[in-house]
Amino acid sequence: MGAAHWIYLSGIVIIIAVMIARKNVVIPAVAATFLTAWVFTGSLVTGLESIFNASLTAASELFSIFLIIALVTALLGALRALGADRRMVEPFRVVMRSGHSAFWVLAAVTYVISLFFWPTPAVPLMGAILLPAAIAAGLPPISAGVAIAIAGQGMALSSDYVIQVAPGLSAKAAGVETGAVADRAMVLSLITGLVALGIGYLMTRSEFRRPDAALLERWEAGESEMEAPAPRRSLIRVLPRRRVLQPEPAAAGGGEGGVAVLDHGPGSGSGGGSPTVPGPRSGGSGDAGEASDEMTRRALSSMDGGDAPGADCPKRSKAFAAIVPLALIGLVGYMMLGKFTGLVPEVVGGDAAALVGGVATALLLAAAIAKDGRGSLERCADHIVDGLVFAMKAMGVVIPIAGFFFIGNADFAGKIMGMEEGAQAPGFLFDAVVRMQDAIPDSQYVVGFGVLIIGMVTGLDGSGFSGLPLTGSLAGSLGPASGVDPALLAAIGQMGCIWAGGGVLIAWSSLIAVAGFARVPVLDLVRRSFLPVIAGLVVATVAGLIIY
């Protein structure tokens, strides 16, 4: 490995350390991108260009997720103007009677849909229908995000048992049958997911609240933390004092004015059961979670004005409360027909996400026309702009971070550093992982956990599938020598790649879609999911080595 490889690895270590310290990692990511490209090419100009090219590449790869967030957020804004969003929640109160049942219903439905169609189209469906009902039932937004991420991006995608793209890549590299890898991956994913969901539920259940429509109102208004409930002994309902958003004057040192968050409610101390509410940001050196939470809150606050509940059009409100769920259920039915019959073309992957986005846009147009009539031309555009503003302000911070990890992938490194067409692009991350494989001893458990760790490292680029050829080839070479089934090792590596990079443990992956719909800081969602997922992966790896 050359000097650029070591700089890139140092960048990864620094970024992980900064994340553990709960600070924003944009500056380390940009600096590491610049230094890696400069040292590899020997050109200062290319290093500077790579900063922009890395972010541009990341933005182009992630924009489909941003666009889906924007369109569904715009649809929810149009439904809120009609008053149909609250009517749409009512039927789900039958099964979501509390935050506890809402947690498991969200996880179960997300898993089933994601298993057949991948999580990308599943997350908007959950965000549009089940998530508001779960919030009204007392489930905190962060807990809802944990349930959706673990069940969809983790448990369903890591097995990919139906579509079998991931098992196919792993099996081809390992030289084994796809079915063998898929079967083992299904078992490991179920063990990992159930352990992670169980721990995640136990870790957050103390934050669950009593069912209350006001919870949904506060969530829609951009209040990301759940207020503490009134004491049971009081016979008089104590209304929690609201947090006030006030303009923050420019600092004396020339900093820009922002929004100061004044917490007048209970539970603002760091020792309470509720998350600490961040105070005013200071000089650009604030905590990463606070910064992300602040951006989310400010983006949401820009969407709240101008839309009065549709009390003047109850018939249209009731109609769209039925039309939207039926349309989305019909969409799922259409995709199932394509999967199991030849009546309609099969829709998977990016096509499925595009279909969801198209349906959301059509429903947005219809809702805007029903609410505003001739004024819908302006209002529909406003809804779309609000959705795009929310998506970019709340989640745009991940773009330069993703750019750094994309430069470590040979598929993107050449484009980022402006290399000539056909030139051999470096794979900084994969080259380093290949060097690590010689240090793995010939022990079943060491080999199993070694492949798992390598898979998780390759997932740091935010793509859960890019490391599968490497973990598959390692499984094929290390399996016979260590006495471990190569198909099992390939499945273990697949777990590491997808649980890390597929959208549970990495903030610059499709996890941003889950955080966007739940309206919580993406880094907070990563922190809440980390311990449950790691515990699940450890249990699944040990169980797999025992069973197989």
Side-chain angles (χ1 to χ4, degrees):
M1 295 194 303
H5 289 78
W6 290 109
I7 291 175
Y8 185 81
L9 290 178
S10 299
I12 292 177
V13 173
I14 292 172
I15 286 175
I16 293 175
V18 171
M19 287 187 68
I20 293 174
R22 297 185 55 136
K23 301 296 181 181
N24 200 296
V25 298
V26 170
I27 291 179
V30 171
T33 301
F34 165 68
L35 292 174
T36 300
W38 181 14
V39 171
F40 181 80
T41 62
S43 170
L44 176 63
V45 173
T46 301
L48 293 171
E49 291 174 346
S50 297
I51 296 175
F52 175 80
N53 289 336
S55 294
L56 181 62
T57 300
S60 64
E61 293 295 319
L62 298 176
F63 186 71
S64 61
I65 295 174
F66 280 64
L67 189 57
I68 289 178
I69 294 174
L71 292 174
V72 175
T73 301
L75 171 60
L76 290 177
L79 294 176
R80 184 168 60 246
L82 273 170
D85 55 341
R86 289 170 179 80
R87 296 183 186 274
M88 206 166 56
V89 167
E90 293 301 325
F92 294 97
R93 296 188 188 278
V94 176
V95 291
M96 291 187 174
R97 296 181 178 274
S98 67
H100 305 278
S101 61
F103 181 92
W104 294 107
V105 169
L106 266 181
V109 177
T110 302
Y111 175 74
V112 171
I113 295 179
S114 300
L115 191 62
F116 288 98
F117 315 113
W118 284 6
T120 303
V123 170
L125 295 176
M126 298 302 100
I129 296 183
L130 289 187
L131 194 52
I135 299 300
L139 185 67
I142 191 70
S143 302
V146 169
I148 294 174
I150 291 176
Q153 272 85 343
M155 190 160 56
L157 189 61
S158 64
S159 68
D160 195 15
Y161 193 77
V162 176
I163 303 175
Q164 294 197 351
V165 173
L169 290 172
S170 298
K172 184 176 181 180
V176 296
E177 294 293 330
T178 300
V181 177
D183 292 341
R184 287 155 178 77
M186 171 60 83
V187 174
L188 295 182
S189 69
L190 288 174
I191 295 174
T192 305
L194 292 175
V195 171
L197 284 173
I199 296 177
Y201 169 77
L202 294 175
M203 288 176 59
T204 61
R205 62 180 300 178
S206 62
E207 301 172 15
F208 292 3
R209 300 292 179 254
R210 297 173 181 173
D212 190 347
L215 297 173
L216 179 58
E217 294 176 2
R218 288 201 292 269
W219 178 70
E220 289 180 338
E223 299 185 25
S224 58
E225 287 82 21
M226 309 293 267
E227 301 287 356
R232 291 179 179 270
R233 64 179 180 273
S234 176
L235 298 179
I236 301 177
R237 182 183 179 187
V238 180
L239 295 177
R241 288 170 287 177
R242 297 173 60 87
R243 286 170 293 161
V244 181
L245 298 180
Q246 295 183 349
E248 182 182 2
E256 296 182 0
V259 176
V261 183
L262 306 181
D263 187 4
H264 302 295
S268 60
S270 60
S274 300
T276 301
V277 179
R281 296 175 63 187
S282 58
S285 62
D287 172 86
E290 293 179 359
S292 182
D293 182 68
E294 174 74 5
M295 285 187 299
T296 302
R297 186 158 43 243
R298 293 177 65 180
L300 284 167
S301 66
S302 68
M303 299 173 57
D304 292 334
D307 284 342
D312 57 336
C313 47
K315 291 184 179 180
R316 283 169 284 177
S317 175
K318 291 179 180 178
F320 273 89
I323 289 172
V324 172
L326 289 176
L328 296 177
I329 291 172
L331 175 62
V332 173
Y334 177 85
M335 291 190 289
M336 292 182 68
L337 285 176
K339 179 66 183 179
F340 297 108
T341 72
L343 299 177
V344 296
E346 184 176 0
V347 183
V348 295
D351 292 338
L355 183 58
V356 171
V359 170
T361 305
L363 292 172
L364 163 64
L365 298 179
I369 293 172
K371 174 63 171 68
D372 296 297
R374 285 178 293 180
S376 61
L377 296 177
E378 286 74 23
R379 289 303 298 147
C380 184
D382 290 342
H383 288 312
I384 293 176
V385 171
D386 288 342
L388 287 169
V389 168
F390 166 71
M392 296 305 297
K393 280 192 173 182
M395 302 298 153
V397 69
V398 304
I399 290 178
I401 303 172
F404 166 71
F405 287 96
F406 280 0
I407 202 175
N409 189 324
D411 295 336
F412 303 106
K415 179 180 178 181
I416 291 173
M417 293 187 291
M419 299 176 65
E420 295 181 358
E421 189 71 25
Q424 181 65 37
F428 298 114
L429 187 60
F430 292 146
D431 292 346
V433 171
V434 170
R435 287 287 300 271
M436 291 169 54
Q437 71 179 27
D438 296 333
I440 301 178
D442 293 335
S443 166
Q444 291 188 358
Y445 288 95
V446 173
V447 168
F449 280 101
V451 171
L452 175 67
I453 293 172
I454 289 175
M456 295 178 68
V457 171
T458 60
L460 288 176
D461 66 349
S463 172
F465 287 69
S466 61
L468 294 179
L470 176 60
T471 56
S473 62
L474 288 177
S477 60
L478 296 176
S482 60
V484 182
D485 181 10
L488 173 62
L489 278 183
I492 291 175
Q494 183 173 308
M495 294 297 106
C497 290
I498 296 179
W499 278 94
V504 184
L505 298 181
I506 299 300
W508 41 92
S509 64
S510 58
L511 186 66
I512 62 177
V514 179
F517 287 116
R519 304 187 178 193
V520 296
V522 65
L523 293 180
D524 283 358
L525 188 54
V526 170
R527 295 186 189 104
R528 289 294 188 104
S529 304
F530 183 81
L531 179 60
V533 169
I534 294 299
L537 288 172
V538 170
V539 173
T541 301
V542 173
L545 292 170
I546 293 174
I547 295 172
Y548 296 102

